[in-house]
Amino acid sequence: YRKLLLRKECLIMPIIKLKTFIKAPIDMCFDLARNVEIHTKTTSHTNERAVGGVTTGLLKKGDEVIWEAIHLGIKQRLTAKISEMDEPYTFTDVMVKGAFHSFTHTHSFVEKDNGTIMKDYFEYQSPFGIIGQLADKLFLQKYMTWFLVTRANELKKIAEMETIVMNKIQLG
């Protein structure tokens, strides 16, 4: 958690950190993580889809995308912008507009043991001050962790399957 002093009120910003080992090359993992169509596949459990901004292909620094999804039974829209990118090691997306007060999601990739460690660092602030903090404690942080873990595991499956296919083609 990070404490933020805002208008004489101390708000706590939850931080979710994940590490996922993927048996696939770093450049493949990086590209899959910023691919709009793959994002849609890895978040199919929320019916997420790109409805504005960049809606296909690989996201790059400065790109914005409007996502529409059903979270906690409510249809929502969120605009995210790629604010930083160092290919193929890291990129960061920030919320421009949406249900949160704010969020920053940094995706990092490190080569390790013939594969890649994908790290997610997700820091957010719920809206509605103290009420939002209560929602974090009761359900929102658990839900967001589940959402990010599910997406990471789906991305891992796709990357590892693509690696198997590539290896079979090369062995030919």
Side-chain angles (χ1 to χ4, degrees), residues 28-42:
M28 177 190 291
C29 296
F30 184 85
D31 285 347
L32 288 173
R34 65 189 180 113
N35 182 297
V36 174
E37 292 90 351
I38 297 298
H39 182 92
T40 301
K41 286 181 183 179
T42 61

Side-chain angles (χ1 to χ4, degrees), residues 117-156:
I117 296 174
M118 180 176 71
K119 299 178 185 179
D120 288 281
Y121 183 92
F122 185 78
E123 182 176 13
Y124 70 95
Q125 184 181 347
S126 297
F128 312 121
I130 300 298
I131 294 170
Q133 287 184 29
L134 183 59
D136 289 335
K137 293 287 184 201
L138 293 176
F139 64 88
L140 189 56
Q141 188 171 6
K142 287 179 188 166
Y143 175 80
M144 290 309 302
T145 300
W146 168 82
F147 176 79
L148 293 169
V149 166
T150 301
R151 176 171 156 35
N153 287 337
E154 290 301 311
L155 194 139
K156 174 183 170 77

Side-chain angles (χ1 to χ4, degrees), residues 26-59:
I26 190 171
D27 54 334
M28 177 190 291
C29 296
F30 184 85
D31 285 347
L32 288 173
R34 65 189 180 113
N35 182 297
V36 174
E37 292 90 351
I38 297 298
H39 182 92
T40 301
K41 286 181 183 179
T42 61
T43 57
S44 63
H45 54 284
T46 61
N47 297 317
E48 193 153 339
R49 61 193 183 101
V51 296
V54 178
T55 58
T56 60
L58 299 178
L59 296 169

